[in-house]
Amino acid sequence: MPRTAQVIKRTGKRRWNIEALFKTLKSRFGFGRFSQHSKRGVLRFLCLSLLSFVLCHFEF
């Protein structure tokens, strides 16, 4: 893929949306504080990871 200004701008915009999503997940939903030592914590982490993957997939 050529590195033109439009490609860089589009890629940056997509990345910014993904970064904003993770920031929201970490601050509002406690994504960064999940305890992965328990079964419930691991399940929450996996569910939110899958949800963020699906949302990012639809963003593209």
Side-chain angles (χ1 to χ4, degrees):
M1 183 179 274
R3 301 261 182 196
T4 63
Q6 291 176 339
V7 171
I8 293 171
K9 183 179 176 183
R10 189 176 337 126
T11 304
K13 185 177 179 181
R14 288 179 181 166
R15 181 182 166 103
W16 183 257
N17 289 335
I18 293 169
E19 293 290 334
L21 172 69
F22 274 103
K23 183 178 180 182
T24 302
L25 287 173
K26 287 175 86 175
S27 64
R28 290 193 178 180
F29 300 110
F31 190 68
R33 292 189 311 255
F34 280 147
S35 172
Q36 285 113 19
H37 302 292
S38 68
K39 185 177 180 180
R40 187 176 188 183
V42 171
L43 184 60
R44 284 181 182 171
F45 182 80
L46 291 175
C47 288
L48 282 177
S49 296
L50 178 64
L51 176 65
S52 62
F53 172 77
V54 170
L55 290 174
C56 290
H57 178 72
F58 285 126
E59 177 67 29
F60 291 119

